[in-house]
Amino acid sequence: MGDASANVLAKGMNVWIPNPADKDPKAAPFLAAQVVSPVSGTQARVALRNGTEVSVDVDKVDVANTVTVVTDADERSEPDNCSLLHLSEATLLHNTQLRFQRDEIYTLTGQIVTSLNPCKQLPALYDAAAMAATRAELNPGAGETKRDPTPHIFTVAEAAYSSMVEQKRNQSIVVSGVSGAGKTEANKYVMRYLCWRASGGGGRQSQGENDLVKAILHSNPVFEAFGNATTINNPNSSRFGKFIKIYFDGGAVAGATLSTYLLEKSRVVAQQPSERSFHIFYQARARARLRARARPRARPAPPRRPRERPRPPRSRPQLLSGSAEELGPLQLTSTSSPRYVKGKGGDGGVKAFGVGALDDAADWAVTRAAIEELGLGAGGELLKLLGGLLHLGDVSFVKLRTSEGGVSDEGCNIAPEAAAALANAEGLLGVAGLARTLTVRIVRAGGGRSSVYKVPLDVAKAEATRDALAKRIYERVPRNSARARAIRRNSARVSATL
């Protein structure tokens, strides 16, 4: 573990030692110390900054890069960990921490860029000036000396783009990290830089190229809405894997393929305490509530003409409650609280991250614009399917009653209070006979002359069937939408699969 030895350690030398309280997740893994006495055998006597003296094994001691004790504000940091005189786990972490405290969230380790999530906006770090500076730094003009690269996600994107253009070879960028590290944002900035770079650094593009770049960048909000959720560690956690391919022709963007996998479908029907389902459900509900608030009050209808026949009312699914206030295609009321988005900790789990962590109404505006840009319409059909899923989750079941007035464990019926939810689900999903599908299982047996049996489901199995259907539908909604987009933009070679 340590890089020190008995011959290296001397009195007064600054070192790092393992923190005995490292099992505490909030404790620092290493503590700064100073050697106070010569090494005796395999032990070194060191003093911590609080004055406490302890003995520690020599092989667990790492030599620090500072000769004298200085404050973190005055200590020098290195943009590349490989430039550290003494490189160890302790010095690497300390150098990265020093940079993070100065809003320098990127640090190089050779060709690898390490980033720490600042949990705040740093707009100057990603604006057009920052992109232009990265391009100029890695592509010096005639007579200019090439400098060491500045640690940045744009540096990785520029290196990949330049290598692709010069070497005519495919390039790969791997973005990995723990939940909440910033992988989703890093991917967005990489895509944004590559599209900016391919356009000549903000130069003029043809209308076709401009539309194509917009379509690629607008895919991010849609995938985030359908695939990201709030967890206890991250208000915008990706609950799926994503693989993106961007195709270039002569350095210009020619198309893209976005493939996702391992979608956490179970989150549709159940969430852990203080967590939420996928963002799209809350965005749609926020949109619907705003629409209801903005709707003007109904005015008295003008008197009919004597011979005018009254218009028949339009047929539509029942509302979830008796309120006459309808929240758009979702067919919910302003007081509705669907079970699928209620969660064990309520649908306010995002509050743990502070005000402004997520704004569902504002995010819906971004998602809606992206849906329209991708040619998926105004989102009405998607909203109907999402509303159908929310109503499906509110379908409950009761045990069958026997002729003697008791109840039977074999078979079940739709609960009377869930009739409205069932009608809404059927209407919004565009299906019929949903009650039979959820309460009866069809079994086919036999060889050439097969027999069909209807097996009644008890309440537990009916609930499992309902949840399985909801997960399957949700899995297919964005996939079918993405395929529709791929067909429409086939000439531009854009495809997406979820």
Side-chain angles (χ1 to χ4, degrees), residues 155-355:
T155 303
V156 177
E158 173 62 30
Y161 181 83
S162 299
S163 297
M164 178 197 67
V165 173
E166 295 171 4
Q167 302 175 14
K168 309 295 182 183
R169 297 180 61 183
N170 296 334
Q171 305 292 315
S172 297
I173 299 176
V174 178
V175 181
S176 63
V178 299
S179 179
K183 300 183 295 297
T184 298
E185 295 300 315
N187 267 308
K188 289 192 289 188
Y189 286 126
V190 167
M191 292 175 65
R192 177 180 160 196
Y193 183 88
L194 291 175
C195 291
W196 174 86
R197 188 68 171 85
S199 68
R204 299 184 62 181
Q205 297 174 295
S206 66
Q207 186 61 40
E209 291 175 336
N210 189 49
D211 291 344
L212 184 56
V213 168
K214 284 184 178 180
I216 293 173
L217 296 179
H218 276 83
S219 66
N220 281 312
V222 177
F223 277 80
E224 279 191 39
F226 281 94
N228 286 26
T230 295
T231 66
I232 58 175
N233 296 319
N234 184 3
N236 188 32
S237 177
S238 297
R239 311 315 299 167
F240 65 104
K242 182 164 56 176
F243 184 71
I244 305 169
K245 286 184 179 180
I246 302 180
Y247 302 98
F248 296 87
D249 185 5
V253 175
T257 302
L258 299 94
S259 303
T260 66
Y261 47 91
L262 298 179
L263 178 68
E264 190 183 36
K265 296 177 293 184
S266 60
R267 185 169 290 271
V268 174
V269 301
Q271 306 89 41
Q272 295 298 316
S274 297
E275 295 195 351
R276 302 204 313 176
S277 184
F278 295 102
H279 292 331
I280 188 64
F281 291 111
Y282 306 92
Q283 292 178 12
R285 290 179 68 202
R287 172 260 190 193
R289 285 177 176 146
L290 288 177
R291 177 180 174 182
R293 291 173 188 170
R295 180 174 298 172
R297 295 181 179 178
R299 297 180 179 178
R304 296 195 189 107
R305 296 178 182 178
R307 295 185 180 180
E308 184 180 11
R309 293 183 179 180
R311 296 180 180 178
R314 291 182 296 176
S315 60
R316 63 181 182 183
Q318 279 187 297
L319 301 183
L320 190 60
S321 70
S323 171
E325 183 182 29
E326 180 187 353
L327 296 186
L330 295 181
Q331 296 290 345
L332 297 174
T333 65
S334 56
T335 58
S336 299
S337 183
R339 189 180 68 87
Y340 276 169
V341 294
K342 210 171 186 179
K344 295 180 181 178
D347 62 3
V350 71
K351 294 180 181 178
F353 297 92
V355 177

Side-chain angles (χ1 to χ4, degrees), residues 17 32-34 36 45-55:
I17 65 171
Q34 192 174 61
V36 296
R45 191 72 177 172
V46 300
L48 303 179
R49 288 190 175 180
N50 62 6
T52 305
E53 292 190 9
V54 296
S55 296

Side-chain angles (χ1 to χ4, degrees), residues 69-186:
V69 177
V70 295
T71 63
D72 289 349
D74 297 328
E75 187 173 351
R76 175 185 172 182
S77 64
E78 294 290 343
D80 190 339
N81 286 318
C82 294
S83 299
L84 296 173
L85 178 62
H86 300 286
L87 181 58
S88 63
E89 182 181 0
T91 57
L92 185 150
L93 290 175
H94 182 61
N95 183 62
T96 305
Q97 182 186 32
L98 287 176
R99 294 179 56 81
F100 176 77
Q101 292 171 347
R102 300 161 187 171
D103 281 344
E104 296 172 333
I105 64 173
Y106 294 107
T107 306
L108 284 169
T109 305
Q111 293 184 337
I112 300 173
V113 174
T114 303
S115 67
L116 295 180
N117 190 344
C119 298
K120 63 180 180 180
Q121 296 295 325
L122 298 173
L125 202 59
Y126 305 103
D127 58 14
M131 292 190 286
T134 300
R135 182 183 60 176
E137 182 180 68
L138 298 185
N139 300 278
E144 296 181 357
T145 303
K146 189 172 184 179
R147 298 173 294 173
D148 292 333
T150 300
H152 202 292
I153 191 69
F154 289 162
T155 303
V156 177
E158 173 62 30
Y161 181 83
S162 299
S163 297
M164 178 197 67
V165 173
E166 295 171 4
Q167 302 175 14
K168 309 295 182 183
R169 297 180 61 183
N170 296 334
Q171 305 292 315
S172 297
I173 299 176
V174 178
V175 181
S176 63
V178 299
S179 179
K183 300 183 295 297
T184 298
E185 295 300 315

